[in-house]
Amino acid sequence: MKLNSNQKKAVETTEGPLLVFAGAGSGKTRVITNRIASMVLEKQIPAGSIVALSFTNKSAGEMKERLRKMVPKEKLKGIVLSTFHSLGLRILKEHIQVLGYGEKFILFNANDQESFVSDLIKLHKLDPKKIPPKDVIKFISLQKNTQGSSGAQNETGFDELFAILEDYQSEMKKRNTLDFDDLILLPKEILKKHPEIAKSYHKKFHYFMVDEFQDTNQLQYDFLTLFRGESQNLCVVGDDDQSIYAFRGSNVELILNFEREFPGATVVRLLENYRSAAPIIQAANSLIKNNKSRKEKELYSLIPSTELVSDFEVSDEKEEAVFVASQIQSYLVKNEYQGNQIAILFRTNYQSRPFEEELRNRNIPYKVVGGYNFFDRKEVRDCIAYLRCIANHKDDLSLQRILNYPKRGIGSGSLQILLAEAQSKGIRLFEVFLRICESPDYLPEVKAKVRQEIYQLVEILETYQKKFFQADKMSLVLKELIQQVGLENAIRLEEEEEKIAKARIYNLSELVNMMSFFEAEEDKEEAPTLFSFLIRLSLLMEDDPKEEEGKEDRRVQLLTMHQSKGLEFDLVFVVGLEEGILPNSRVMDNPESVDEERRLLYVAMTRPRRKLYLTHSQTRRKFGEQMQAEPSRFLLELDRSVVDFHPLGEMPKEEAIEGFLADLEKLKVC
């Protein structure tokens, strides 16, 4: 593919400040690598004077790989192709001693840092439950990245956090140890406090490029400014419409204000999308133009298609999953797409559950990208273990799993006594529990506190066995059980981050929802029971479709919208487009945050090459209770000339695909 006129202009402009707005699928990496190749081969600029920065090792590696195919190895000698942090590390290796550190410093990983902060919290005689280590680490990182300008004053413990910060900084230096933020912060200090060192880099490097500039934070930009000195040869490439990492500290204003900081800068807009069919791009444009704080531009595609974007309304998340899975199955049967070129995108991980269940039901292989399958998540397996023990007191494995979860003070020593007794008598573990409850003299080596906890656990298991047997609605009993045994509280104690705790609690809610849907099924021959539900779960958990070893991975991809950035697929389903999900309930009243949520949907909508489906539900369950749901405000912003809206009741009929589903047995990829 030849360069188009705008790509060519970006490649050929090497002197002075250059801002390249690179829209989704516009050939950004191709432009960057061609620009470097042109500088080295055609303009004879020494590679050793060029610095090209990206945000991930993966993208830096991709640039290196492409350049190696375009430029002889010896001509690339001395070029810096790296991440911001790698560049900072390079400076520290050469000059860290000027800051009073030893030459052989240590870099803490996340576990090292958490352990160190935990010790500091104890040293200050603070309660780690009130001031968790992860919150302290976040505070320290925020202070470093904002240089103390953050106004995030914590009503409970702000002074204590600053006291810990002071000790953290001094103790880290005494230990000759750095954390990840120091890889930017300390090189910035070196360049600022030691002009002679900065000048040595200014003499060496004259051309600078930054990829994904919209993801840059203020500290990184300040570091870069000191590193390049007076050189105006700064090329930044990015797209303000794809800025979705404010929660990590990125500052979209840096790309929006570039022209103000560099008057007369050359601005190139790469607006032709080479990835997606024209209707997809037109729909995405109609969405993103509603953002107030953005540079005016409109992406276009010359890839013709008669396929409009499909927007389907469904009654609930179960029907949503059935619809998506049936569409995927029909495409696979017709051999229109391979599984790994199909993606289901959602706002948060807990939304994957109904789709996983339905794909398993249809024996369609799938992969949850960057996370565990729903049934492999700890909280889900813990809850299922309770259900198995309630249904069958003889399930020793499940009983051992729940025995001290949530914590009851029944340690490994007590468990070994109980297991040894069961083995010596040839009875089940639960029978040992019953004997302890019936006789205060039985197994006297078991402590009184442990005996009391065993008695309470037995009471819970027997009480809920009756409740499930007698219940008109088992999902309500399951919801009560989760609260009774304290699974939610246990999760909150385990997770310092409220966001992670909520995500795990949502997974428990999804299990309740699953039971609720199971009870509501109309085609069952017998009334639903706890046993029949557990059998359904067992089949789903064991019948996990996987690829045969040695074969190409053809699994359907399930991932969050954030994880989809930079990826592309032939067929994409963007699901759960409702108020409270997208935009997220936490930001619905904040215009700036809503803009970022809109950008997130824009990123998701620009992932497919050929076909895009959008779905939303009229109702959605939370802990088994059916709640009304409103369509996302973003759906109302889409250009209806390229979006085919299907209201509830206009779902594709299963009969329409019966003909090719008859050939399902022949389809080996499934």
Side-chain angles (χ1 to χ4, degrees):
M1 183 178 75
K2 291 183 179 179
L3 296 172
N4 65 35
S5 58
N6 283 342
Q7 289 175 330
K8 196 173 181 183
K9 183 178 179 182
V11 166
E12 292 177 349
T13 305
T14 54
E15 303 298 318
L18 170 65
L19 170 59
V20 181
F21 282 112
S26 62
K28 169 175 67 73
T29 306
R30 190 166 183 270
V31 166
I32 292 171
T33 50
N34 272 272
R35 186 173 188 270
I36 294 172
S38 172
M39 290 167 73
V40 173
L41 295 178
E42 294 172 22
K43 301 196 176 181
Q44 301 297 307
I45 294 171
S49 67
I50 300 171
V51 176
L53 300 174
S54 66
F55 281 82
T56 65
N57 289 315
K58 182 182 176 183
S59 57
E62 186 182 348
M63 276 199 284
K64 286 177 186 176
E65 196 58 39
R66 289 201 192 188
L67 275 170
R68 285 191 189 109
K69 294 175 182 176
M70 302 167 72
V71 182
K73 187 177 178 181
E74 63 275 7
K75 287 195 174 284
L76 286 175
K77 190 175 180 182
I79 192 170
V80 175
L81 290 171
S82 76
T83 63
F84 273 95
H85 290 90
S86 295
L87 176 61
L89 181 60
R90 173 177 176 159
I91 294 171
L92 291 175
K93 284 179 177 177
E94 294 177 1
H95 302 291
I96 195 169
Q97 290 164 294
V98 300
L99 294 179
Y101 287 81
E103 186 181 0
K104 304 293 184 185
F105 57 86
I106 296 167
L107 182 63
F108 264 178
N109 60 34
N111 290 333
D112 296 332
Q113 191 179 19
E114 187 170 349
S115 176
F116 178 55
V117 167
S118 296
D119 289 342
L120 287 177
I121 291 170
K122 290 175 188 173
L123 188 68
H124 283 257
K125 297 181 180 178
L126 299 172
D127 185 352
K129 290 180 182 177
K130 291 181 180 176
I131 303 181
K134 285 186 179 176
D135 283 358
V136 176
I137 291 169
K138 273 187 180 179
F139 173 80
I140 290 169
S141 181
L142 184 65
Q143 293 302 312
K144 288 188 176 187
N145 281 284
T146 61
Q147 293 294 272
S149 64
S150 169
Q153 296 198 2
N154 190 319
E155 296 102 7
T156 57
F158 187 67
D159 292 337
E160 288 90 340
L161 287 172
F162 261 111
I164 293 172
L165 174 61
E166 287 178 14
D167 282 356
Y168 177 91
Q169 296 284 59
S170 61
E171 191 61 33
M172 287 279 281
K173 191 166 185 177
K174 285 177 190 174
R175 298 184 182 202
N176 207 41
T177 302
L178 313 181
D179 62 29
F180 200 61
D181 292 318
D182 289 330
L183 297 183
I184 306 293
L185 179 62
L186 296 185
K188 180 198 162 187
E189 281 188 34
I190 290 171
L191 297 173
K192 188 174 183 179
K193 294 177 180 177
H194 299 274
E196 72 284 359
I197 293 175
K199 283 178 184 175
S200 69
Y201 289 112
H202 301 161
K203 287 178 182 177
K204 185 173 184 181
F205 298 110
H206 305 289
Y207 296 88
F208 304 87
M209 298 177 67
V210 183
D211 188 16
E212 301 288 6
F213 188 64
Q214 77 280 350
D215 295 334
T216 309
N217 67 33
Q218 191 64 49
L219 176 61
Q220 290 164 336
Y221 185 67
D222 291 345
F223 163 51
L224 175 64
T225 301
L226 289 165
F227 185 73
R228 69 177 173 80
E230 297 299 317
S231 173
Q232 293 289 292
N233 300 325
L234 174 62
C235 168
V236 299
V237 184
D239 181 11
D240 55 304
D241 290 334
Q242 295 186 76
S243 177
I244 59 172
Y245 294 120
F247 66 95
R248 293 183 187 169
S250 67
N251 183 2
V252 70
E253 295 300 319
L254 291 172
I255 192 169
L256 294 175
N257 294 333
F258 188 85
E259 292 168 82
R260 191 182 306 163
E261 183 160 353
F262 295 92
T266 302
V267 180
V268 177
R269 287 171 166 80
L270 305 182
L271 300 179
E272 182 173 358
N273 177 287
Y274 293 97
R275 175 193 300 147
S276 305
I280 294 172
I281 296 305
Q282 193 172 330
N285 282 334
S286 65
L287 170 77
I288 200 63
K289 73 179 184 182
N290 291 280
N291 268 13
K292 300 292 184 287
S293 219
R294 68 183 288 264
K295 288 290 184 179
E296 192 62 40
K297 54 192 174 302
E298 190 163 323
L299 215 56
Y300 68 93
S301 168
L302 299 179
I303 303 171
S305 176
T306 56
E307 286 266 26
L308 299 182
V309 174
S310 295
D311 176 11
F312 279 89
E313 181 180 53
V314 296
S315 61
D316 55 38
E317 64 265 47
K318 174 72 173 175
E319 187 179 340
E320 184 178 43
V322 168
F323 166 67
V324 170
S326 67
Q327 293 300 298
I328 289 173
Q329 190 173 49
S330 68
Y331 282 120
L332 291 173
V333 170
K334 291 185 288 185
N335 206 27
E336 287 192 37
Y337 302 107
Q338 290 192 348
N340 62 351
Q341 285 306 320
I342 302 173
I344 303 173
L345 307 184
F346 33 79
R347 178 63 177 84
T348 50
N349 275 309
Y350 78 86
Q351 292 174 261
S352 74
R353 197 276 307 162
F355 300 99
E356 291 189 57
E357 181 184 352
E358 194 57 36
L359 291 171
R360 286 174 187 245
N361 284 340
R362 295 168 186 260
N363 200 32
I364 298 174
Y366 70 87
K367 175 184 180 183
V368 179
V369 178
Y372 292 107
N373 290 350
F374 179 78
F375 297 105
D376 290 334
R377 294 167 190 169
K378 180 184 181 299
E379 56 277 8
V380 174
R381 288 193 173 268
D382 289 334
C383 192
I384 291 171
Y386 269 98
L387 293 178
R388 284 177 170 165
C389 284
I390 289 165
N392 175 17
H393 295 342
K394 295 179 180 179
D395 187 341
D396 281 5
L397 285 177
S398 294
L399 188 53
Q400 287 180 57
R401 184 181 184 106
I402 68 168
L403 182 58
N404 199 39
Y405 189 81
K407 289 184 178 178
R408 299 184 171 89
I410 305 176
S412 58
S414 298
L415 177 59
Q416 290 309 312
I417 294 170
L418 298 166
L419 289 173
E421 177 68 8
Q423 189 173 10
S424 67
K425 295 289 194 300
I427 57 178
R428 313 306 301 183
L429 186 58
F430 191 78
E431 179 62 30
V432 175
F433 288 7
L434 289 177
R435 293 185 184 186
I436 287 173
C437 294
E438 291 164 1
S439 171
D441 299 324
Y442 186 72
L443 279 182
E445 59 267 44
V446 176
K447 295 176 183 176
K449 169 96 170 49
V450 172
R451 301 176 82 87
Q452 181 61 28
E453 293 293 343
I454 287 172
Y455 177 82
Q456 290 178 3
L457 180 58
V458 167
E459 188 175 32
I460 286 171
L461 297 180
E462 293 191 327
T463 298
Y464 277 91
Q465 190 175 69
K466 290 175 187 174
K467 286 192 174 189
F468 275 109
F469 180 73
Q470 297 168 353
D472 293 326
K473 199 165 184 185
M474 292 188 299
S475 56
L476 294 179
V477 179
L478 176 54
K479 182 179 178 181
E480 181 189 314
L481 172 70
I482 289 168
Q483 294 170 340
Q484 172 75 31
V485 300
L487 291 180
E488 290 187 25
N489 289 336
I491 288 170
R492 286 198 166 95
L493 287 173
E494 289 170 356
E495 301 293 348
E496 287 90 352
E497 288 189 52
E498 180 64 17
K499 184 179 176 183
I500 296 174
K502 277 186 177 179
R504 293 183 62 194
I505 290 168
Y506 272 130
N507 288 331
L508 293 179
S509 171
E510 280 301 305
L511 195 61
V512 178
N513 294 343
M514 186 178 178
M515 181 176 271
S516 179
F517 279 116
F518 175 74
E519 292 178 290
E521 288 175 3
E522 296 176 357
D523 57 350
K524 292 191 293 293
E525 294 179 4
E526 300 177 358
T529 66
L530 181 57
F531 283 104
S532 57
F533 179 68
L534 287 169
I535 288 169
R536 164 75 67 86
L537 284 177
S538 296
L539 290 172
L540 288 170
M541 292 169 76
E542 294 304 321
D543 187 22
D544 185 4
K546 289 183 172 66
E547 289 296 303
E548 291 180 36
E549 225 174 291
K551 283 197 171 184
E552 180 188 359
D553 187 348
R554 294 185 178 181
R555 292 177 289 179
V556 173
Q557 307 290 293
L558 277 67
L559 62 164
T560 65
M561 297 179 191
H562 279 102
Q563 290 167 332
S564 75
K565 189 169 183 292
L567 304 178
E568 55 185 50
F569 306 91
D570 286 334
L571 170 64
V572 171
F573 295 84
V574 183
V575 300
L577 295 180
E578 296 139 37
E579 290 289 292
I581 296 179
L582 194 77
N584 192 277
S585 57
R586 295 190 305 273
V587 303
M588 285 169 62
D589 298 324
N590 183 333
E592 286 184 14
S593 297
V594 169
D595 277 3
E596 175 140 340
E597 294 283 288
R598 188 180 283 108
R599 292 195 291 266
L600 184 57
L601 179 55
Y602 175 79
V603 166
M605 287 179 65
T606 53
R607 297 310 97 197
R609 299 185 190 98
R610 293 168 56 187
K611 178 66 181 175
L612 171 63
Y613 285 89
L614 309 172
T615 65
H616 66 279
S617 301
Q618 284 192 339
T619 62
R620 194 166 288 270
R621 278 174 166 82
K622 187 173 182 181
F623 274 109
E625 186 179 349
Q626 201 162 34
M627 316 283 282
Q628 281 299 124
E630 287 184 49
S632 169
R633 67 192 74 180
F634 301 146
L635 291 173
L636 304 176
E637 299 171 354
L638 300 180
D639 181 351
R640 287 296 169 183
S641 71
V642 289
V643 179
D644 188 13
F645 174 58
H646 298 264
L648 189 65
E650 285 191 15
M651 296 278 288
K653 302 296 182 187
E654 284 282 344
E655 308 89 74
I657 59 171
E658 277 181 0
F660 47 76
L661 287 182
D663 298 327
L664 189 58
E665 293 301 316
K666 301 174 186 176
L667 186 65
K668 299 304 180 186
V669 294
C670 288

